[in-house]
Amino acid sequence: MESRKLTQALPLKNVRIKDAFWSEYIRLVRDVVVPYQWEALNDRVPDAEPSHAIRNFKIAAGDVEGEFYGMVFQDSDVAKWLEAVGYLLETEADSELERVADDVIDLIARAQQQDGYLNTYYTVKEPDRRWTNLAECHELYSAGHMIEAAVAYYRATGKRKILEVACGIADNIDAVFGDEAGKLKGYDGHQEIELALVKLYHVTGQERYLQLSKYFLDERGQQPPHFYDVEWEKRGKTHHWPDTMMVEEKDYSQAHLPVREQGKADGHAVRLVYMCAGMADVAAETGDRELLEACQKLWKNIVSRRMYITGGIGSMARGEAFSLDYDLPNDTVYAETCASIGLIFFAQRMLQLEPKSEYADTMERALYNTVISGMSRDGKHFFYVNPLEVYPDACGINKNYDHVKPVRQGWYGCACCPPNVARLLASLGQYIYTVHDKTVYTHLYVGGQADLEIGGKSIQLEQQTNYPWDGAVRFELTMDEAAQFTLALRIPDWCDGASVQINGDAYAIEAQVADGYALLNRIWQRGDVVELTLNMPIHRMKGHPLVRQTAGKVALQRGPLVYCLEEADNGKQLHQLVLPKISSLEVEANYELLGGAEVKVIKTAAKRMNIKEWADELYKPASDIRNETANLTFIPYFAWANRGIGEMTVWVRDSE
């Protein structure tokens, strides 16, 4: 099948973000997060769990003596840090950061084995057991992250050393796996290598890397016999983790069926969306329509039955996994930060296959809510789990909440989320625009400048906005000569009305909207200005009737932001609050919540159960219950837990 026509993301170096909301996050990543994580990787953060990741590489390289420490996939923390560094360097030169990264790359190269194999756990701890436990031990996952880091760093600097390391890794994998006689007919337990190999194919032009990615996808879930069972028997039924879930529960790693037959989002949430990102990549490069249709089915199942209003996915702590359709508990939710990041990866790739606003809407929902909730405003504390309701008094006592933390943590023994947040925010410029032929799609409203080439003509597009606090977006075009093309502006799903002016004159967009984008086609001149105004009402959101956990409750959303109540503003026992259906919802600017940054909060009058009347009664006739007046302040969900330990809830009881 012929390759599908794609919209292409702009090179990161072509996008310069200058935005009232996002510039501070990117500065935080550059000035605080990446340096802090470097200290954490070197075990120099007091009171944080040790990483040992850099030391593991030094041991593997023979620089020092010692024992491997940490998770079997500890290498990936270094790789994701290096990938974030690559993105930062592509957008802004930093000689000292580049020097540190070059030193890390030298270390990584020394730790690589002569045949290209790179994994400090197996090199240091079990050198004779390579590729014997794919179901559990993340060799291909760690390899994938190192390849992604190499591609990012090579694109930023042009230095080939880390790219040669990545090619050595991929060549070693290609020599080990495949259908040919003598090769291992298997695949990874944690998907990641699939999308990494496509990136490596893009920068090297080596089609065998693309075919290797396709092989891993095609082989997944084939049976009988099942690959995980075969390798388990070969190694004498030993297992790495305390239980055998990763071996026995095939749906945990989406290995229960061939990928083209999977219509439901099952198992570990991060694995699932990483797999889908790889599937979309391969479908785009090969024109495999069956693979694309599988992506579409899995996407629909996620966003219509298994996703939280915040863009979180993975409702179950056991296995960090999806459970069943419409099962979305708010207090025991997992919603790993990495899972929402993976959902953004998936959405971005689907936008390149078919530019429909539903993908950008979800990308935006996950980005503005779960992802940035996963990092504090000091850049040094992180959430792994992102609950929609927290009762701190129960944490540590009720074991059902053992995974829920009421405050962000300094680091984690399993520290996949902090560097994942860093690499996503450092590469944010790749998610704003895509281009196809003579159409420029704007998926995210983020201020800054973008350099484009349309029909052989160079164009600079400058975007100015105070999004997400208001819906006014201004575009100005600069070019040497007139050019005809289409500027496609996303009309978000939360917007109940939009208007456009071009050079001060109203432009009728009603008949020009397709797949959620307003298509502005004209011959553009230097200095043309487009002003987009998106209505930004406060929506009282309800959950699907089959979502038991939101029945009789309401959540507030304004623009892309989901709001929540926090104890700091509204007192304890948030579950006692009732939001009348007829209530005035007022937007108010707040500059204290996040240390001087603008934040729009929502204020309203509500009702609170009068607990004083209950005395020692545990149950009471409803006719005897009276409510008292309460004044509520809702804050953006991403901003919670920046003022100490306290209760929080997204969903509030609804009343007539």
Side-chain angles (χ1 to χ4, degrees):
M1 181 181 291
E2 294 182 2
S3 297
R4 294 182 58 85
K5 291 182 178 180
L6 307 177
T7 69
Q8 298 287 351
L10 298 180
L12 190 56
K13 63 183 178 182
N14 286 22
V15 182
R16 295 169 296 284
I17 292 175
K18 188 177 181 181
D19 182 81
F21 186 85
W22 286 109
S23 287
E24 174 59 17
Y25 277 101
I26 295 169
R27 184 204 66 78
L28 201 64
V29 169
R30 181 180 296 276
D31 295 345
V32 179
V33 180
V34 164
Y36 174 79
Q37 291 182 0
W38 175 242
E39 294 300 298
L41 293 171
N42 284 278
D43 309 312
R44 296 193 291 253
V45 176
D47 303 321
E49 291 193 48
S51 166
H52 215 269
I54 292 295
R55 185 167 176 80
N56 287 339
F57 276 99
K58 290 179 179 178
I59 296 168
D63 295 353
V64 299
E65 294 184 356
E67 297 293 327
F68 179 91
Y69 176 89
M71 297 289 183
V72 69
F73 46 83
Q74 209 78 348
D75 291 4
S76 65
D77 293 345
V78 176
K80 282 183 279 189
W81 176 87
L82 181 59
E83 185 181 351
V85 169
Y87 296 138
L88 293 175
L89 292 176
E90 189 173 353
T91 54
E92 183 180 327
D94 185 328
S95 59
E96 177 58 21
L97 182 59
E98 188 170 342
R99 182 195 64 77
V100 173
D102 285 344
D103 288 345
V104 173
I105 289 167
D106 288 343
L107 173 61
I108 291 168
R110 292 198 304 274
Q112 187 172 32
Q113 304 299 290
Q114 288 188 349
D115 62 355
Y117 183 84
L118 179 62
N119 186 290
T120 68
Y121 173 84
Y122 278 99
T123 297
V124 174
K125 196 164 186 175
E126 298 189 87
D128 298 326
R129 297 181 67 84
R130 292 185 193 178
W131 311 123
T132 60
N133 191 347
L134 275 296
E136 296 183 294
C137 286
H138 293 69
E139 281 169 281
L140 290 170
Y141 169 86
S142 295
H145 276 303
M146 193 60 71
I147 290 170
E148 285 201 88
V151 170
Y153 198 77
Y154 170 71
R155 286 190 185 279
T157 67
K159 295 179 179 178
R160 297 191 60 85
K161 188 167 190 175
I162 189 63
L163 185 65
E164 290 168 359
V165 168
C167 290
I169 294 170
D171 292 345
N172 174 256
I173 294 170
D174 193 31
V176 171
F177 291 90
D179 286 320
E180 299 89 340
K183 287 190 175 184
L184 186 58
K185 193 174 171 63
Y187 46 87
D188 46 326
H190 192 313
Q191 300 90 316
E192 158 63 22
I193 189 67
E194 297 85 352
L195 56 91
L197 286 167
V198 176
K199 287 187 176 182
L200 190 60
Y201 159 69
H202 285 157
V203 296
T204 64
Q206 293 290 327
E207 189 168 345
R208 56 198 174 88
Y209 297 146
L210 172 63
Q211 293 305 316
L212 184 56
S213 177
K214 183 177 183 299
Y215 165 78
F216 284 129
L217 290 169
D218 288 343
E219 191 62 28
R220 186 168 215 88
Q222 299 292 341
Q223 52 189 308
H226 197 285
F227 171 65
Y228 293 168
D229 294 333
V230 171
E231 68 167 7
W232 192 35
E233 292 284 347
K234 284 183 179 179
R235 65 175 183 269
K237 296 188 176 181
T238 60
H239 50 93
H240 178 85
W241 301 99
D243 61 37
T244 57
M245 177 182 68
M246 294 187 188
V247 176
E248 294 180 324
E249 297 180 19
K250 307 301 191 294
D251 58 347
Y252 169 79
S253 55
Q254 298 81 41
H256 57 302
L257 289 169
V259 297
R260 290 170 175 77
E261 298 175 21
Q262 295 184 32
K264 293 189 301 180
D266 289 323
H268 188 269
V270 178
R271 284 168 163 83
L272 185 281
V273 286
Y274 278 20
M275 179 184 80
C276 289
M279 290 166 62
D281 273 340
V282 172
E285 297 299 332
T286 65
D288 189 329
R289 180 165 292 278
E290 191 178 39
L291 201 56
L292 171 60
E293 290 171 354
C295 289
Q296 292 167 332
K297 285 189 296 183
L298 288 166
W299 175 270
K300 184 175 181 180
N301 182 247
I302 292 171
V303 301
S304 66
R305 289 172 169 79
R306 302 192 174 194
M307 183 181 72
Y308 284 90
I309 193 171
T310 55
I313 56 173
S315 59
M316 186 167 60
R318 186 184 185 278
E320 304 174 328
F322 297 97
S323 54
L324 67 154
D325 287 352
Y326 305 111
D327 181 43
L328 296 168
N330 298 300
D331 54 350
T332 60
V333 55
Y334 208 77
E336 183 181 342
T337 303
C338 283
S340 287
I341 291 170
L343 182 62
I344 289 171
F345 295 160
F346 185 19
Q348 181 201 35
R349 286 158 172 80
M350 293 304 289
L351 279 169
Q352 292 179 340
L353 279 160
E354 42 183 22
K356 296 181 178 180
S357 65
E358 64 178 283
Y359 301 120
D361 289 338
T362 296
M363 183 167 74
E364 178 182 76
R365 182 178 296 276
L367 179 64
Y368 278 93
N369 296 290
T370 298
V371 172
I372 56 174
S373 170
M375 182 178 72
S376 68
R377 290 289 286 191
D378 68 3
K380 297 180 181 180
H381 297 84
F382 305 89
F383 275 138
Y384 194 106
V385 172
N386 293 276
L388 281 74
E389 180 181 330
V390 173
Y391 178 36
D393 291 356
C395 296
I397 297 174
N398 184 333
K399 298 305 179 183
N400 291 326
Y401 302 121
D402 277 355
H403 59 289
V404 176
K405 306 297 182 187
V407 293
R408 296 173 182 86
Q409 308 296 296
W411 199 250
Y412 294 89
C414 176
C416 53
C417 295
N420 228 357
V421 172
R423 70 173 181 143
L424 175 66
L425 296 183
S427 62
L428 183 61
Q430 293 181 337
Y431 297 81
I432 302 171
Y433 303 101
T434 59
V435 177
H436 169 61
D437 195 17
K438 292 189 175 183
T439 300
V440 180
Y441 291 91
T442 304
H443 304 301
L444 296 175
Y445 294 111
V446 178
Q449 295 177 335
D451 296 328
L452 314 164
E453 186 172 300
I454 305 292
K457 297 179 180 179
S458 296
I459 298 163
Q460 185 179 90
L461 182 64
E462 182 175 356
Q463 182 180 165
Q464 296 176 335
T465 183
N466 195 34
Y467 199 90
W469 308 122
D470 68 52
V473 189
R474 181 183 187 274
F475 296 90
E476 183 171 350
L477 290 92
T478 301
M479 61 197 80
D480 292 333
E481 56 182 307
Q484 182 168 7
F485 62 91
T486 299
L487 183 60
L489 305 178
R490 180 174 64 94
I491 309 300
D493 57 358
W494 48 259
C495 179
D496 63 357
S499 62
V500 169
Q501 288 188 336
I502 300 179
N503 300 328
D505 297 327
Y507 183 91
I509 63 170
E510 291 76 9
Q512 310 300 323
V513 176
D515 291 325
Y517 290 84
L519 306 178
L520 314 183
N521 181 271
R522 59 185 270 134
I523 299 174
W524 299 95
Q525 307 286 340
R526 181 184 181 90
D528 279 349
V529 172
V530 177
E531 294 172 288
L532 170 68
T533 302
L534 301 168
N535 290 354
M536 197 172 274
I538 301 171
H539 289 295
R540 296 173 61 110
M541 305 293 289
K542 300 289 285 185
H544 190 283
L546 293 178
V547 180
R548 295 169 179 266
Q549 297 89 348
T550 61
K553 295 184 178 182
V554 63
L556 299 186
Q557 179 176 338
R558 181 176 183 269
L561 300 176
V562 174
Y563 279 70
C564 69
L565 294 173
E566 204 173 18
E567 181 182 328
D569 302 304
N570 305 288
K572 297 178 73 67
Q573 311 302 337
L574 298 178
H575 69 285
Q576 296 175 5
L577 295 168
V578 182
L579 189 63
K581 277 188 168 54
I582 301 176
S583 57
S584 176
L585 302 173
E586 302 293 336
V587 178
E588 183 178 295
N590 181 301
Y591 294 93
E592 298 178 0
L593 177 60
L594 294 179
E598 181 183 14
V599 177
K600 294 287 180 68
V601 301
I602 299 173
K603 299 210 168 184
T604 187
K607 298 292 184 181
R608 183 190 296 271
M609 295 175 62
N610 190 341
I611 194 171
K612 297 176 183 176
E613 298 181 348
W614 283 73
D616 290 331
E617 296 176 84
L618 187 58
Y619 303 101
K620 193 180 179 91
S623 58
D624 294 344
I625 298 173
R626 291 183 296 176
N627 294 330
E628 57 188 10
T629 301
N631 293 313
L632 304 186
T633 298
F634 288 80
I635 68 170
Y637 173 78
F638 78 82
W640 86 277
N642 280 287
R643 297 177 290 176
I645 295 177
E647 293 184 30
M648 182 276 293
T649 188
V650 169
W651 293 94
V652 186
R653 292 169 59 203
D654 196 11
S655 76
E656 298 294 340

